[in-house]
Amino acid sequence: GSGEPDFISPKAAFDYATEAMSKGETHYTPTPGILELRQEICTYYKQRFGLEYTPANIIVGSGAKPCIYEALAAIVDPGDEVIVLAPTWVSYIEQIQLVDGKVIVVETQNDGFTPSAEKISRAVTDRTVAILLNSPSNPTGVMYDKDTIKKIAEIAMKNDIWLIWDEIYEQLAYGQAKHYNPLQLIPELASRTIIINGVSKAYAMTGWRIGYVIGPKELISKINAFQGHLTSGPCSIAQWAAVGAIRESEED
């Protein structure tokens, strides 16, 4: 689906955006994003998942979608294979092809939409560079449990491939469901994990277009170089709105 929340952005997002405009924050920002936003993301991941990051591990982009594309562009050479788990979000397929990668589809319909570790293992070849997935999943709504996440992470470690972990829906968990980040379970995978997140879903800020990538500094440096020529960076006012949302809107 479109992933469009049915409520409006929180008050703090509007307040911070208004203040930024009144202060004249209307010029280019650093390519990886304003320092204040990257620091807020570090604080959020420390408090939410117990993960330690610095601003050098983060690049902010114009939505999670271009962040995924930029990450793929940094790791995929022509002919390289990226595994996706179907049903999958439609843009994964197109973005892999846009960087001349080969899409390898692992079907999950007969497994309750939870990926089979055995099927993923069989899909890995010497051209595989990454597994790309999102949990909670769009379009299935499935949240991967600890055991599934561990098995996928172990496949990535064993084969020395990237795990692109799109957790843009991580706050949309209901009832007893609990979202886990793979690095909570297998910290040693940090050097091969690319985390994709943003403010669109949790804070109903789809139109502000702010997403981000968290990963090893060397990878973030490559994505930074790519983004510098692609978009220069995300909207300055939207970045300040995101600071407000992350800093002051958890109760909302």
Side-chain angles (χ1 to χ4, degrees):
S2 64
E4 186 74 60
D6 60 355
F7 49 93
I8 65 169
S9 308
K11 181 177 182 298
F14 295 117
D15 290 344
Y16 274 65
T18 301
E19 182 180 2
M21 286 186 282
S22 68
K23 290 182 176 180
E25 301 282 0
T26 57
H27 300 283
Y28 287 126
T29 68
T31 299
I34 58 174
L35 181 60
E36 291 85 351
L37 178 52
R38 287 180 287 144
Q39 288 173 330
E40 287 299 325
I41 294 167
C42 291
T43 299
Y44 175 78
Y45 265 77
K46 172 65 175 177
Q47 295 175 346
R48 173 104 164 104
F49 298 114
L51 301 177
E52 298 277 359
Y53 289 108
T54 70
N57 293 112
I58 296 167
I59 183 165
V60 181
S62 302
K65 184 184 291 187
C67 285
I68 297 168
Y69 173 69
E70 292 170 3
L72 288 167
I75 65 172
V76 176
D77 287 325
D80 283 348
E81 298 173 354
V82 179
I83 295 171
V84 299
L85 310 175
T88 190
W89 186 53
V90 62
S91 291
Y92 289 169
I93 305 292
E94 303 303 331
Q95 291 188 349
I96 293 167
Q97 294 175 339
L98 280 169
V99 296
D100 290 330
K102 181 179 180 181
V103 181
I104 304 298
V105 177
V106 174
E107 299 287 352
T108 67
Q109 289 96 322
N110 296 327
D111 302 307
F113 300 120
T114 297
S116 160
E118 291 74 22
K119 288 183 180 179
I120 296 174
S121 292
R122 289 198 298 268
V124 175
T125 74
D126 58 1
R127 292 304 304 268
T128 305
V129 296
I131 303 171
L132 170 56
L133 73 165
N134 106 280
S135 177
S137 168
N138 181 354
T140 68
V142 164
M143 294 180 66
Y144 302 144
D145 58 25
K146 282 184 176 181
D147 186 55
T148 299
I149 296 171
K150 282 184 177 180
K151 288 179 178 178
I152 294 172
E154 287 166 357
I155 292 169
M157 286 185 61
K158 177 182 177 181
N159 294 280
D160 194 28
I161 58 179
W162 290 98
L163 176 62
I164 306 178
W165 182 258
D166 177 2
E167 59 182 2
I168 189 70
Y169 292 98
E170 48 100 2
Q171 287 275 20
L172 278 66
Y174 302 95
Q176 299 302 310
K178 181 174 174 59
H179 172 81
Y180 294 96
N181 181 288
L183 299 185
Q184 291 176 288
L185 309 177
I186 304 184
E188 55 268 35
L189 189 62
S191 64
R192 303 298 293 172
T193 299
I194 301 169
I195 297 172
I196 305 291
N197 207 335
V199 298
S200 292
K201 316 305 181 182
Y203 306 103
M205 295 177 66
T206 53
W208 298 86
R209 308 309 304 134
I210 294 293
Y212 52 85
V213 185
I214 305 176
K217 294 178 182 178
E218 296 81 3
L219 175 75
I220 297 300
S221 177
K222 291 182 180 181
I223 296 174
N224 183 64
F226 186 73
Q227 179 164 281
H229 295 293
L230 188 69
T231 64
S232 295
C235 168
S236 60
I237 304 304
Q239 289 185 67
W240 282 106
V243 171
I246 298 173
R247 182 180 290 171
E248 297 185 10
S249 300
E250 201 61 32
E251 184 176 345
D252 299 66

